[in-house]
Amino acid sequence: MRRLGTQLRASLLTAGVGIGLGAGLAACQKADPPPAPLRAVMVAQPISSNSGQSNYSGEVRARQEADLSFRVAGKVTQRLVEVGDRVRSGQALAVLDPTDANLQLGAARAQLDSALSVERTAKGELERYRQLLPANAISRSQFDQIENQYKTARSNVQQAQANFNVVSNQASYSTLRANKSGVVVSRNIETGQVVSAGQPVYRLALEGEREVLIGVPEQMIEQFKPRQPVRVSLWSNPQQLLPAYVREISPAADASRTFAVRVAFANAGAPVKIGQSARVFVTTSSSSPALAVPLAAVTAEKQQSYVLVVNPANSTLVKKPVRIGAYGRDSVPVLAGLSPQDWVVIGGVHLLQPGQKVRAVNRNNQPAFQQNAQAVVQPALAKKD
């Protein structure tokens, strides 16, 4: 019995030691979690771009455009033309409710008729007194009084006639007419709408030459000069390049911080239509080769553009400020701040931070460079050991 008790105590002691060691190992495993996988980022090296030629998107416009508006206020009762309609000079475009204008015209006509009647009466009275004056049947003062009454009546007629002409003109202003021939490019009224005098209701592109309006960022505006030759291609026919030249450069930037540049066609009869999308190609004088990166690679902070570059030595992100050119369809030229050997992050830049360690891959989801591949393999080997 004594030997059985000794064996039982030894077994319990051995089990307790095993449980303690197991708990200790479990605690050690929880305190040392496995390293989190590195975030994969797609990178690419910048490509060479033709820095000697820049292109800007624009729209075909008429050289002369006019905003048309009513000269009197009123309620729109008819809208006679729509956007895209071709109109001729003098054609009616819209009509206001003429009720008030007709009432004012009737009142002015009545005042004119009344003034004319008073003038006729005063004129007849003056003729009779003029016949009585030589016979001294009336005094000179009486004749002068009748003559002044006639002059007053004649002045009242002139005033009533002028008032009638003004009201008649205002009545005719209830119909808006085109001042020149052209094409309606915008409409800002609806039937039943009350408009004020001078409020633009139609925009008319006048007949004549056509041109392309583009917006140029401030860092590129110095490349443009008046009469500078350029080329224009239409989106409907991108293979055809039309000769053109810079006609006008805005001296101030608009709300979008770009300068409006108007490009005129060298051939006045160029086959273009208002509203067509166009691209203007400008040859610059820069001799240094420029690099281009995808649009998604560039972001900005405090009006400073920058890109994120992966350091091949330690696979960490580095923030690089850059100076960029005009945005293209899919890419943007980088004029300064980047080298051809840099590995630039081309997506998800807003989700990353400088100094962050990443796993750089190319467009085929393969390691972008050898150093990065080794950085991924070594943690896996350490975990296995």
Side-chain angles (χ1 to χ4, degrees):
M1 291 295 292
R2 185 176 297 175
R3 180 180 298 176
L4 181 60
T6 302
Q7 293 177 352
L8 181 59
R9 285 194 299 272
S11 299
L12 292 174
L13 180 59
T14 302
V17 172
I19 293 173
L21 291 175
L25 292 175
C28 292
Q29 290 177 356
K30 291 182 179 179
D32 189 15
L38 299 178
R39 179 189 289 270
V41 296
M42 185 177 297
V43 298
Q45 291 182 320
I47 60 175
S48 298
S49 66
N50 184 11
S51 62
Q53 188 178 63
S54 303
N55 62 86
Y56 302 86
S57 298
E59 181 183 1
V60 177
R61 298 280 190 89
R63 173 170 293 191
Q64 296 182 353
E65 296 182 348
D67 288 327
L68 305 182
S69 58
F70 287 100
R71 299 174 65 173
V72 293
K75 179 180 179 181
V76 180
T77 57
Q78 297 183 55
R79 198 184 62 217
L80 304 177
V81 295
E82 297 293 341
V83 174
D85 290 349
R86 187 174 297 275
V87 299
R88 63 184 183 276
S89 178
Q91 179 178 342
L93 307 180
V95 178
L96 297 179
D97 184 2
T99 303
D100 292 343
N102 291 338
L103 291 175
Q104 293 175 358
L105 183 61
R109 182 180 291 109
Q111 291 178 356
L112 178 59
D113 293 341
S114 176
L116 289 173
S117 178
V118 172
E119 182 198 25
R120 287 193 296 268
T121 302
K123 184 177 181 179
E125 191 74 9
L126 179 61
E127 292 296 332
R128 288 193 295 270
Y129 273 69
R130 182 175 286 114
Q131 294 175 3
L132 296 175
L133 183 61
N136 294 323
I138 59 172
S139 64
R140 185 68 190 184
S141 61
Q142 290 177 328
F143 177 80
D144 292 341
Q145 182 179 2
I146 296 301
E147 186 178 25
N148 289 334
Q149 290 178 357
Y150 169 72
K151 291 180 179 180
T152 301
R154 188 175 59 181
S155 298
N156 290 337
V157 169
Q158 293 176 351
Q159 181 180 2
Q161 182 67 54
N163 182 57
F164 175 78
N165 293 338
V166 171
V167 175
S168 178
N169 290 337
Q170 290 181 344
S172 66
Y173 295 156
S174 61
T175 300
L176 178 63
R177 300 183 181 276
N179 56 351
K180 291 185 179 180
S181 299
V183 179
V184 179
V185 295
S186 67
R187 172 180 59 82
N188 303 318
I189 58 170
E190 297 291 343
T191 302
Q193 178 181 349
V194 177
V195 297
S196 59
Q199 176 182 341
V201 295
Y202 281 106
R203 188 169 183 84
L204 188 65
L206 306 183
E207 294 288 355
E209 298 183 16
R210 302 292 182 248
E211 57 188 18
V212 179
L213 177 64
I214 60 175
V216 179
E218 54 185 332
Q219 67 268 25
M220 305 296 292
I221 193 61
E222 296 298 330
Q223 299 180 358
F224 288 81
K225 304 296 180 184
R227 307 296 300 182
Q228 177 181 352
V230 296
R231 294 181 298 170
V232 177
S233 70
L234 303 177
W235 285 96
S236 57
N237 188 11
Q239 291 77 20
Q240 183 182 11
L241 294 178
L242 303 174
Y245 62 92
V246 176
R247 186 184 69 84
E248 180 181 286
I249 303 175
S250 174
D254 56 18
S256 63
R257 308 311 304 165
T258 59
F259 291 80
V261 176
R262 291 183 174 269
V263 175
F265 293 96
N267 179 14
V272 295
K273 297 181 180 179
I274 295 176
Q276 282 186 298
S277 298
R279 188 173 291 274
V280 178
F281 295 90
V282 182
T283 302
T284 64
S285 59
S286 176
S287 58
S288 59
L291 302 174
V293 296
L295 293 176
V298 181
T299 186
E301 183 178 11
K302 296 181 180 179
Q303 299 183 350
Q304 172 61 57
S305 300
Y306 70 89
V307 298
L308 290 180
V309 176
V310 179
N311 185 357
N314 53 14
S315 297
T316 57
L317 297 176
V318 179
K319 181 179 178 180
K320 276 197 171 186
V322 294
R323 182 166 62 90
I324 61 176
Y327 283 88
R329 185 186 307 177
D330 304 312
S331 62
V332 56
V334 178
L335 306 180
L338 206 60
S339 66
Q341 293 76 26
D342 289 333
W343 291 93
V344 182
V345 180
I346 60 175
V349 179
H350 62 287
L351 301 176
L352 304 173
Q353 296 294 330
Q356 181 179 352
K357 197 174 184 63
V358 296
R359 180 170 60 90
V361 297
N362 58 21
R363 297 181 187 272
N364 298 324
N365 200 24
Q366 297 177 351
F369 38 80
Q370 189 65 25
Q371 291 87 336
N372 191 273
Q374 293 177 357
V376 175
V377 174
Q378 288 176 357
L381 294 176
K383 182 179 180 181
K384 184 177 181 180
D385 294 340

